[in-house]
Amino acid sequence: MTNSLIPMATNPLEQPLVQPLVQVTWFKTGYCTHPEAITLRGGRWQTIQFPALFALIQHPTIGNILFDTGYSERFFRETQHFPNRFYALITPVYLKPEENAVQQLQQQSVPPESIRYILISHFHADHIAGLADFPQAEYICAQSAYGAVKHQKGLRALKAGFLAGLLPPDFEKRLRFVEQSPSVPALPGWFEQGFDLFGDRSLIAIELPGHAPGQLGLLLTDTHHQTYFLVADACWSSRAYQELVAPHPIAQLIFADSATYQTTLKKLHSLHQAHPEIQIIPTHCAVFWREQSPTHSGQPL
């Protein structure tokens, strides 16, 4: 599959003709609130909403796959007591019961048992709170991502944005590391290598370091021949990568590596300038969510 807007000789997305195309549907599992200026340097100090998005990806032969799961009711249970209570105080979360990923998918006739894989971008609570609702899913993440949080407890876990109680008891039995997938060229010139999750180049996981250890994004092309790059929390809004606007230094205190975060953001900015036809999707981008049509915002598939 080639993107006709990119010259054949230099096309970073050139794929074999047999590359399967997938269907992708976006959902929102509530939101958290922060002052805009924390996430965009020079922004307003007005408190705004940051939706917690996840994606349902329907592969023609593999079946149903999720990119993250967003918030769930478990977040509130896990943050009832200190020190985890600090998480809920610092990041106020608003979630209706019907906004849990499992309930939304069931509304669209996608039973939880049909989810075969969940790609975990990283282990912050707003990305993994629904993992336990999918009993048949195999989890995929970066080895460094899980290694960074596996043994963290108390305040150390809290600083890492990790709530261990969100993981199901059999998590490790159902876990495989993305590094077990073939390494392939991804977006040469920006993100050189990725991991071909199913060996057909339909879904390429790409490391996006800085925000959290082992954070993964996902490159895919849908049945409408639109290429998406799901970038998790490599930035929090489309304006950040479009205009190269970094977060306030306060926000950078929680990053795994603030210098690497800046490098990743610059690469996304450069990629967008060179290939604006690639739709880059930050997980918490309110603008992207508002722009979605009913068929791409958790409404009928």
Side-chain angles (χ1 to χ4, degrees):
M1 165 71 192
T2 58
N3 192 314
S4 61
L5 298 180
I6 304 175
M8 290 281 289
T10 59
N11 182 1
L13 300 179
E14 188 171 354
Q15 310 291 343
L17 293 177
V18 295
Q19 176 201 356
L21 304 178
V22 299
Q23 294 182 359
V24 57
T25 308
W26 314 98
F27 297 83
K28 183 187 81 166
T29 59
Y31 62 91
C32 67
T33 60
H34 286 291
E36 182 187 58
I38 298 295
T39 63
L40 288 170
R41 189 176 303 182
R44 302 165 297 169
W45 284 98
Q46 176 182 344
T47 297
I48 63 173
Q49 298 180 9
F50 293 88
L53 307 182
F54 76 95
L56 168 67
I57 300 161
Q58 297 176 295
H59 187 287
T61 59
I62 301 298
N64 293 329
I65 303 153
L66 298 183
F67 181 76
D68 288 335
T69 65
Y71 287 115
S72 80
E73 293 295 319
R74 287 185 186 83
F75 175 83
F76 300 112
R77 294 201 295 269
E78 292 298 318
T79 56
Q80 285 182 347
H81 306 292
F82 290 101
N84 290 351
R85 181 64 179 158
F86 285 118
Y87 198 137
L89 294 175
I90 295 170
T91 306
V93 172
Y94 301 86
L95 174 74
K96 299 175 183 178
E98 64 270 20
E99 290 181 317
N100 288 283
V102 65
Q103 277 92 345
Q104 293 195 66
L105 292 170
Q106 286 175 323
Q107 286 290 320
Q108 307 306 325
S109 300
V110 179
E113 296 80 9
S114 74
I115 302 301
R116 295 196 58 197
Y117 297 92
I118 301 176
L119 179 62
I120 301 169
S121 66
H122 60 296
F123 282 86
H124 289 172
D126 52 332
H127 297 258
I128 66 168
L131 290 181
D133 291 325
F134 301 96
Q136 303 300 320
E138 183 174 330
Y139 305 121
I140 304 173
C141 72
Q143 187 169 2
S144 59
Y146 186 50
V149 300
K150 179 179 179 179
H151 300 295
Q152 300 288 12
K153 299 182 184 301
L155 290 175
R156 288 179 178 267
L158 181 65
K159 186 178 185 300
F162 176 59
L163 302 176
L166 296 177
L167 299 184
D170 63 346
F171 177 77
E172 291 192 354
K173 293 181 180 179
R174 293 196 271 151
L175 175 65
R176 77 173 169 95
F177 294 123
V178 72
E179 291 86 354
Q180 297 173 243
S181 301
S183 178
V184 296
L187 293 163
W190 296 277
F191 302 95
E192 300 296 331
Q193 296 294 314
F195 297 96
D196 188 353
L197 295 185
F198 303 112
D200 59 7
R201 294 193 66 92
S202 61
L203 300 176
I204 307 296
I206 299 173
E207 188 171 1
L208 299 170
H211 174 74
Q215 177 177 242
L216 295 173
L218 187 64
L219 186 69
L220 60 88
T221 301
D222 74 1
T223 52
H224 302 288
H225 301 280
Q226 172 64 55
T227 297
Y228 293 99
F229 190 11
L230 285 61
V231 299
D233 290 4
C235 56
W236 287 312
S237 67
S238 56
R239 183 184 167 197
Y241 73 78
Q242 290 169 357
E243 302 179 21
L244 191 55
V245 183
H248 191 281
I250 293 175
Q252 298 180 33
L253 294 175
I254 67 169
F255 293 164
D257 187 324
S258 59
T260 305
Y261 178 95
Q262 298 284 351
T263 299
T264 297
L265 181 59
K266 289 176 182 177
K267 288 181 179 180
L268 291 174
H269 174 67
S270 175
L271 175 64
H272 171 67
Q273 288 189 312
H275 297 290
E277 72 280 2
I278 301 173
Q279 190 153 12
I280 297 173
I281 313 297
T283 288
H284 302 294
C285 183
V287 172
F288 170 76
W289 179 250
R290 287 196 298 267
E291 290 175 348
Q292 297 313 290
S293 68
T295 56
H296 290 79
S297 59
Q299 300 300 320
L301 302 179

